[in-house]
Amino acid sequence: MARTIRRVLIRTLLTLTSAAPVYAQNHARPSAHVLGQAPSQAPAAQAAPSSSADISQIENEALVWLQNLIRINTSNPPGNELVAAKYLAGVLEQEGIHSETFESTPGRGFLVARLSSSAMPDPSRALLLMAHLDVVGVDKSKWSVDPFGGVIQAGYLYGRGAIDDKGMLAANLAVFVALKRSGARLNRDVIFIAEADEEDGGAQGIKFAVDKHWDKIASGFAINENGRVILKNGKPVYVGIQTTEKVAINVDVVATGTSGHASVPRKDNAVAHLAAAMAKIGAYEAPVQFNSVTRAYFDGLAPTQDEDTRKWMLALGTPDRGDHAARWISDANPTWNALLRDTATPTMLQAGIRQNVVPSEARGVVNIRMLPGNQLDPLLAKLKQLVNDPQVRFDVEPDGGEAAPSSSLTSDLYNTIVHAAGRTFPGTPVLPYMSTGFSDSWELRMRNVQAYGLDPFPLTDEDLSRIHADNERIPVDSFRKGIDFLYGVVSDFTVAK
Ligand SMILES: [Zn+2]
């Protein structure tokens, strides 16, 4: 597997390094950007329909769609995602595209629409464009603008979900509408899905769609969130195509002790024992491990880094300097650290009813993220050994922890994404990527769909750090560039030659 990946990587790099200037240098976007004017080094990509919609016109409309989607508060819980689905249905209706909405529980569910190919319907060839409707909650007092205002300021569109995941939703919609307007003949069906409840595990969204309405979304390929195009100093550093993701499991850490009056302290205080246990868990570092995707990722990323980082990145996993390299790389970037090992992160504490009462129980939550393929038991045994406290037990959330198969690095869709990336971001390495976060791709991969995570928008680490945080925003230019990139991918993959 590793050798094949390296061959794929080298071939990718070879294809790309010969190309023209990078994105940053030609910030000025062509006024009327007509599809089909792809650079010459990727002949297959020429297929994009030249008479098709003016993509920049659609980018203008998509910006308004994104603003309007942000203004619909779909914080989960409670979700209320079907209000946003209704808005999408209206936009699609205007384009003459029929959509269906399925309700899992009141106000929640998913919307689906399809562009049919001229060929015999074959679900195994169909492409699914997926994005979730819900967003995580906000603390309004911490925002400089209204998180649901859809405000554009200084070249940024602010709002909860601007990146995660309404940006992707609006980009999928733009590409879907562009295909429709182009009138291009499709060589496979293209399915648009907008689902609820991704932020809380998907029971009301993707699980419901897969379990109850698979016929509506049956597909062999999918594009979803959780990839990345990293921007630094205005230049794209790499394009990451997410092909697998870490596995999330929540574990309750529960300490018990004698309850009583706070004026009579005891050694078996549940709160103190929990705090000590959580501190040990929080300080624990699992051993470094690579899988074929992270190996290829770090190998491909190294040439884009500064001298020191490159040196240590290339030394990762080597017998002589591997440990020091892992230390260096882990300290240099928390995401790199999380890509190199299983992690156990304390996230919640819950204890006590009153200041003057010692409670009999104190609870904490540890969010575990395992490298796909790793088993939970050995990690849990290690944490129990570390805590080493008979007053503390670990309750694992039921049915968590199964890894889905990774998506292939040699599929037609993977190769199409690589080529389109080369056209949109000439000279930029395109790397397979394992995301630390979880996504609805898991459900699809469990059904052998070749699902790929893309967030096609060029974003800095700082932009990305605002996901699930205060003042989430997307650069308007990057939103447009992302639609460009995504349209290149989808039209290359679905338009009949
Ligand atoms: Zn998301």
Side-chain angles (χ1 to χ4, degrees):
M1 184 68 175
R3 198 170 320 109
T4 336
I5 291 171
R6 287 212 172 122
R7 206 177 301 132
V8 168
L9 189 62
I10 292 161
R11 179 157 54 83
T12 323
L13 282 175
L14 284 172
T15 336
L16 298 169
T17 42
S18 60
V22 297
Y23 169 56
Q25 282 157 355
N26 49 24
H27 248 294
R29 243 167 359 86
S31 58
H33 174 81
V34 179
L35 295 162
Q37 291 167 350
S40 61
Q41 81 267 21
Q46 292 291 344
S50 55
S51 61
S52 66
D54 175 357
I55 197 78
S56 65
Q57 165 56 32
I58 287 192
E59 288 165 8
N60 298 340
E61 294 170 62
L63 192 60
V64 175
W65 297 334
L66 179 52
Q67 287 180 286
N68 291 335
L69 284 165
I70 286 170
R71 290 170 184 150
I72 301 168
N73 182 349
T74 53
S75 298
N76 179 7
N80 293 326
E81 294 96 334
L82 292 192
V83 180
K86 196 155 175 259
Y87 173 76
L88 292 172
V91 172
L92 291 165
E93 198 67 39
Q94 294 230 335
E95 301 293 328
I97 301 171
H98 174 65
S99 64
E100 295 175 280
T101 299
F102 296 90
E103 196 161 24
S104 49
T105 52
R108 316 194 70 188
F110 70 96
L111 170 143
V112 64
R114 177 183 297 260
L115 296 177
S116 298
S117 72
S118 46
M120 277 295 293
D122 175 359
S124 72
R125 286 177 49 76
L127 173 66
L128 186 68
L129 299 178
M130 178 154 83
H132 62 89
L133 293 155
D134 59 320
V135 295
V136 296
V138 299
D139 175 351
K140 269 195 174 179
S141 68
K142 299 269 175 49
W143 284 63
S144 59
V145 296
D146 174 0
F148 302 106
V151 177
I152 295 180
Q153 245 177 33
Y156 289 94
L157 170 50
Y158 283 79
R160 176 52 87 223
I163 299 175
D164 181 16
D165 192 29
K166 289 179 174 175
M168 191 77 188
L169 187 60
N172 284 350
L173 182 63
V175 164
F176 197 66
V177 167
L179 273 182
K180 169 73 178 176
R181 286 185 188 169
S182 76
R185 223 162 35 82
L186 301 177
N187 60 24
R188 61 188 79 229
D189 285 12
V190 181
I191 308 165
F192 173 93
I193 182 173
E195 78 276 7
D197 203 27
E198 188 274 344
E199 297 293 358
D200 198 19
Q204 306 311 328
I206 193 62
K207 278 191 199 329
F208 166 67
V210 164
D211 295 346
K212 300 278 188 288
H213 299 282
W214 177 245
D215 60 318
K216 296 290 175 188
I217 61 168
S219 43
F221 302 91
I223 292 174
N224 188 21
E225 62 174 343
N226 267 14
R228 50 187 45 206
V229 180
I230 296 295
L231 207 55
K232 200 172 182 182
N233 308 326
K235 285 198 172 64
V237 178
Y238 71 93
V239 175
I241 307 173
Q242 190 244 40
T243 60
T244 187
E245 48 201 32
K246 291 181 85 173
V247 179
I249 309 166
N250 290 310
V251 175
D252 280 359
V253 179
V254 186
T256 51
T258 311
S259 64
H261 198 286
S263 64
V264 185
R266 294 165 179 263
K267 291 263 178 294
D268 70 348
N269 179 297
V271 179
H273 281 256
L274 177 69
M278 293 298 261
K280 286 175 190 160
I281 293 168
Y284 172 64
E285 250 190 9
V288 167
Q289 282 176 273
F290 291 93
N291 58 40
S292 49
V293 174
T294 53
R295 182 75 265 177
Y297 171 75
F298 282 113
D299 283 353
L301 192 60
T304 69
Q305 302 297 307
D306 61 55
E307 200 185 329
D308 269 349
T309 310
R310 183 169 49 237
K311 179 181 76 182
W312 290 119
M313 215 168 252
L314 291 171
L316 283 171
T318 56
D320 49 348
R321 301 189 302 164
D323 292 351
H324 185 81
R327 179 75 281 132
W328 200 97
I329 294 293
S330 297
D331 293 346
N333 180 315
T335 302
W336 291 344
N337 173 57
L339 290 174
L340 286 171
R341 57 184 99 234
D342 295 340
T343 57
T345 309
T347 54
M348 297 172 76
L349 289 174
Q350 209 179 5
I353 50 169
R354 286 176 63 92
Q355 288 111 328
N356 59 355
V357 172
V358 178
S360 58
E361 185 180 281
R363 246 169 209 280
V365 174
V366 171
N367 181 264
I368 287 183
R369 304 276 170 161
M370 289 200 304
L371 296 169
N374 281 2
Q375 299 307 310
L376 177 62
D377 291 348
L379 175 61
L380 218 49
K382 181 70 191 171
L383 295 179
K384 284 178 183 163
Q385 183 204 4
L386 267 177
V387 167
N388 186 24
D389 184 343
Q391 284 181 237
V392 175
R393 72 170 194 273
F394 292 68
D395 297 347
V396 179
E397 71 172 339
D399 65 42
E402 191 182 353
S406 301
S407 296
S408 154
L409 299 188
T410 55
S411 76
D412 289 351
L413 182 54
Y414 187 86
N415 290 331
T416 301
I417 297 171
V418 170
H419 275 112
R423 200 170 58 236
T424 313
F425 307 104
T428 306
V430 183
L431 311 174
Y433 180 67
M434 174 186 75
S435 68
T436 56
F438 188 79
S439 79
D440 283 346
S441 293
W442 187 88
E443 290 287 342
L444 299 179
R445 289 184 178 129
M446 292 303 277
R447 287 192 169 235
N448 295 317
V449 176
Q450 293 300 314
Y452 296 96
L454 272 188
D455 268 317
F457 320 110
L459 299 170
T460 63
D461 282 331
E462 202 281 329
D463 293 329
L464 287 169
S465 70
R466 293 165 180 249
I467 290 177
H468 288 203
D470 305 325
N471 290 318
E472 183 181 355
R473 63 184 190 179
I474 189 167
V476 172
D477 259 2
S478 293
F479 176 63
R480 293 170 181 275
K481 191 75 181 176
I483 293 173
D484 245 11
F485 175 25
L486 187 62
Y487 188 83
V489 171
V490 174
S491 58
D492 289 357
F493 192 62
T494 67
V495 170
K497 306 285 182 288

